[in-house]
Every structure is written in structure tokens, then in C-alpha cells.
Amino acid sequence: MRKIASSTVSALLAAGALTGCSSTEAATATGAVKESTKPTEPTNPTAPTAKKTTKAGGGLKGGRIGDAGTACALPISFEAPKEWKLTGFTDEDNEFLNKWSGHRSFKAACELSARRTGVIGFIRVYTTQEPGKSPRQVLEKFVAEEKRVSEPQYTETKLGDLPAVEVVYTQRDILLDEPQTRRGLAVKTSKGSTVLHVEGAESDDSKVVIPAYERAKATIRSAT
């Protein structure tokens, strides 16, 4: 049996399997590490192949992720708080996450966690290779794979010199039984599209997570 080391996969098993909640809700729940005895096949053969990583997570070096040689190589690069925990996902993690997250059209690349600051908040990064789709089409597809979503508001923009779109929407959180504000963005490059998605289970996440998200948004550029 293989052990899934990442906190996201563990929490998804602990909460999602028992409550049927969405990827956001399951991933913000607390749970012990579980094991998968029946790996699933990747459901998106067009997604870029996940790069193996031997690090389960750690502090950020230099405060920037995404460039080649970092723990989370992406089509884009951006800055994040150095005290946050960065977790990269392996091929096996992604096979498992495809089943539990609901985002079968995307590959989970990595997760930035604010837990070390005392806040249950995350910025999760996904990639997809769909060259014929605009950033808005990519983000609309991502939101459509979430559950209990209402009032999505999309804004076309440019981040650096890259075409992008941002969304803010409401999602009913079945763990807290209250509406939560979610936000995210999609950026397109010649190497593929990247989605950054803000997730959290506490109202205080806006004090820590949103500034980190805005910092990432302001520093996005094509990866080198």
C-alpha cells in the first residue's frame, strides 16, 4: 500500500470520503493520513505530466515559485510569503486527487498553506494544457467542477503581459453550514494555463490569505 504524504490528500480522505463535501471543504478539514489501496488512472490524459518531487513540504526559498528547478515548476512564476508551507504533488498524488477533488480536467501542481500563521487558508495551484481555450473558458470550467457555487463574477485582466481572468463567487460550505467567498484566477502562457484558487475555512483568512493572493497576482510572469 502506498502512503499519500500531502496534507491535502490526507484531509480529502478524512473529510471528503465521509461527508461528500467539495474539494475545498474536504481539504480544509482536519484528518489523519490515510492510505490508498486502489490507485485510480489519470482522468485527463491531455494534462501535462506531473513532475516527481521528494519533498512533502517546507518553507519557500527566495519567496518565488514556478521557475524551473523549484519544488513546483509551472508555466508561470510568482511570489509568495516565505513563512508559508509549500507542498508539491507527485504523479501518485494527482491520480488520487483526480478522484477526490472533482477537478478532473486539471492537474494539482502544488499547495501553499498558511497554517504556520495560525490561519486555515490555502492557495492551490492547478495546471491544464488546452491551447484552444481562453483563460476565461479555463476558469469557467474550473468553477463548474466545484459544488454549490452561486453568483460567479468574472473579470478579464492582464497580469504582467499575460492574458488572465479572475473570479469571485459564493460557495455553500457544508462543514460550516454557511456561505464562503472563494476567488481564483487563470493565466495563459504558451506552455499552458495555470489556475490559482484561494480556499479557507475561517473568516480570518482574509487577513492573511487574501494579501498573499494579491501578492502572487501582482508578481505573476512567465516562468523561466
Side-chain angles (χ1 to χ4, degrees), residues 39-192:
T40 60
E41 293 299 319
T43 56
N44 181 17
T46 62
T49 304
K51 293 186 177 181
K52 298 284 186 179
T53 176
T54 57
K55 294 185 178 180
L60 293 170
K61 294 182 178 180
R64 179 170 282 274
I65 67 170
D67 289 327
T70 65
C72 184
L74 301 166
I76 62 170
S77 174
F78 58 89
E79 292 181 4
K82 294 181 180 180
E83 65 272 19
W84 283 37
K85 181 180 178 180
L86 172 65
T87 300
F89 297 123
T90 65
D91 290 335
E92 289 184 319
D93 291 338
N94 269 282
E95 290 177 15
F96 198 76
L97 281 164
N98 277 343
K99 178 178 178 181
W100 292 104
S101 72
H103 291 298
R104 297 180 180 273
S105 305
F106 297 84
K107 179 178 75 72
C110 54
E111 168 190 279
L112 289 160
S113 170
R115 286 182 184 273
R116 289 175 176 172
T117 69
V119 170
I120 302 176
F122 306 87
I123 298 175
R124 295 198 175 89
V125 187
Y126 301 81
T127 60
T128 185
Q129 291 248 354
E130 296 183 280
K133 290 194 173 182
S134 67
R136 170 137 187 179
Q137 290 172 317
V138 168
L139 196 54
E140 285 178 337
K141 190 171 188 178
F142 183 92
V143 173
E145 291 178 347
E146 287 285 309
K147 298 178 181 178
R148 293 171 295 280
V149 170
S150 62
E151 303 175 347
Q153 301 292 323
Y154 294 90
T155 304
E156 305 281 345
T157 186
K158 268 199 167 186
L159 298 176
D161 60 351
L162 301 174
V165 64
E166 186 171 16
V167 67
V168 178
Y169 63 93
T170 300
Q171 184 176 57
R172 190 75 185 180
D173 192 319
I174 62 173
L175 294 179
L176 301 178
D177 192 27
E178 62 184 31
Q180 298 282 311
T181 299
R182 309 294 186 200
R183 68 188 68 212
L185 60 85
V187 186
K188 184 175 182 178
T189 74
S190 59
K191 298 178 181 179

